[in-house]
Amino acid sequence: MITAETTTAQLRSALRRALPKNERPGLVLRAMDRLERASVLDAVAEPLRRGVRSLPLSRAARDALHGKWLGHPVHPVMVQVPIGAWLSSAVLDLVPGAKAPSRVLIAVGLAGAGPAAITGWTDWADLHKEQVRVGLVHAVLNSAGIFCYAGSLGARLVGREATGRMLALAGLTAVGAGGAIGGHLAYRQASGANHTESLPHLVPPGWHALGALATVPLGRPVRRMIEDVAVLVVRDADDTLSVIADHCSHLGGPLSEGTIREGCVTCPWHGSVFRLSDGWNVEGPATSPQPAFDVRITDGEVEVRLRRGTPRRSRLALARHR
């Protein structure tokens, strides 16, 4: 015979297995690890990713969808509309006489889901394979939630209120699970994070030697080290040096392996473009600039100092790049 005590004990046992402990990660984290390594998903993910990247969108449109104008990905902002509307609708479903407001909120959520999905797919197409796999499952769960809420609204409009509420509950569950996986993608896998944020905390104040000027080749990007921090160094024909952080702010790509064109460097991984003079992110998918360094030459030796503050946009430099 199943009693309340037995059910409670089983739930506690399941929760203990799911959550991490000091000696093991738990079922949830192990499942996410398997998902990251699930290469079987690549057969679906790779064609989808190529399709998203081949959409006829201008560079400016893609940058807007990535959130370059905002300084960080815009997708987390956009998802507030559907999630907030649908969660509010779930609360109203518990309130007598609130059928009409609940329907309105479901409709608002469905309207906001489209823009949120577009920004999410745009970001997703420029991720590493492990992130792409997790992101695909995140998108599938959110799509299932959208489908459930569309069915819920349809059922409510024809008077099938109970069916509509059941579909809404299923949709909220799917969206909640998708959000949890999205959190893993954003925080555990650092998708969309600024990968240069820690650099100002790692480079000590003051000037640091990078070696002799004669060892820096002309017009070719090279990597140099400030203790454990990698920087990109580019030398012009007039011996002017530009020094910025080497690891791309988007996903840590090596800018020293990128290409130099008209005063900018292009990341070899996902094509983000940064201005060498001050590290400004001229083109995405990067939404954060690169930390830049002041440079001086002392007795033929190159010395650099971390430059503080956000670079200002230069219309002249942007025009030259275009």
Side-chain angles (χ1 to χ4, degrees):
M1 180 178 179
I2 300 177
T3 64
E5 291 77 9
T6 301
T7 302
T8 302
Q10 291 175 341
L11 288 175
R12 288 177 177 173
S13 177
L15 190 60
R16 284 195 295 268
R17 291 195 302 271
L19 296 181
K21 292 180 176 293
N22 291 336
E23 65 274 11
R24 63 178 186 270
L27 293 177
V28 173
L29 290 180
R30 288 204 297 270
M32 295 308 302
D33 181 64
R34 287 194 295 269
L35 180 57
E36 291 180 20
R37 294 182 285 108
S39 58
V40 66
L41 296 174
D42 295 346
V44 176
E46 287 307 311
L48 272 175
R49 178 154 69 162
R50 288 194 297 268
V52 172
R53 300 185 75 172
S54 66
L55 291 174
L57 296 173
S58 67
R59 183 72 263 174
R62 288 187 183 275
D63 284 349
L65 292 173
H66 283 304
K68 180 175 176 289
W69 57 276
L70 189 60
H72 60 77
V74 72
H75 176 64
V77 178
M78 303 298 290
V79 300
Q80 303 306 309
V81 174
I83 291 177
W86 290 337
L87 185 58
S88 299
S89 172
V91 174
L92 288 182
D93 278 343
L94 302 177
V95 178
K99 294 180 181 179
S102 183
R103 294 174 185 176
V104 171
L105 286 170
I106 290 175
V108 169
L110 289 171
I118 291 171
T119 56
W121 283 112
T122 304
D123 289 340
W124 173 82
D126 290 310
L127 297 177
H128 295 313
K129 277 191 174 182
E130 295 80 5
Q131 297 167 326
V132 164
R133 294 162 184 162
V134 174
L136 180 62
V137 177
H138 166 71
V140 167
L141 285 169
N142 286 337
S143 298
I146 293 171
F147 179 81
C148 288
Y149 272 108
S152 173
L153 182 60
R156 292 167 191 253
L157 290 176
V158 297
R160 299 173 62 185
E161 196 68 27
T163 300
R165 292 188 179 189
M166 289 178 61
L167 286 171
L169 180 59
L172 189 61
T173 302
V175 170
I181 292 178
H184 180 92
L185 179 64
Y187 299 111
R188 186 87 170 190
Q189 295 183 292
S191 165
N194 176 8
H195 286 251
T196 63
E197 189 280 333
S198 63
L199 190 141
H201 308 286
L202 299 175
V203 177
W207 294 92
H208 305 274
L210 284 187
L213 175 63
T215 64
V216 181
L218 288 173
R220 183 165 61 86
V222 294
R223 173 184 286 190
R224 293 290 186 266
M225 302 298 295
I226 302 174
E227 297 185 0
D228 294 328
V229 177
V231 295
L232 164 71
V233 183
V234 178
R235 178 185 178 187
D236 292 337
D238 61 355
D239 285 343
T240 299
L241 292 180
S242 298
V243 181
I244 62 175
D246 186 46
H247 295 299
C248 176
S249 63
H250 175 232
L251 282 177
L255 297 184
S256 55
E257 298 177 16
T259 56
I260 304 298
R261 174 175 169 265
E262 298 184 2
C264 295
V265 60
T266 301
C267 179
W269 282 6
H270 301 103
S272 295
V273 179
F274 301 94
R275 197 164 59 214
L276 290 170
S277 61
D278 57 7
W280 181 255
N281 48 316
V282 177
E283 292 184 1
T287 59
S288 301
Q290 293 294 109
F293 293 78
D294 296 321
V295 183
R296 71 182 184 187
I297 309 298
T298 304
D299 297 328
E301 296 291 318
V302 180
E303 295 180 337
V304 298
R305 178 181 62 186
L306 182 65
R307 189 180 305 164
R308 302 292 177 174
T310 301
R312 296 180 180 273
R313 296 185 70 122
S314 168
R315 293 185 179 180
L316 177 59
L318 289 173
R320 286 182 57 197
H321 179 73
R322 293 193 183 102

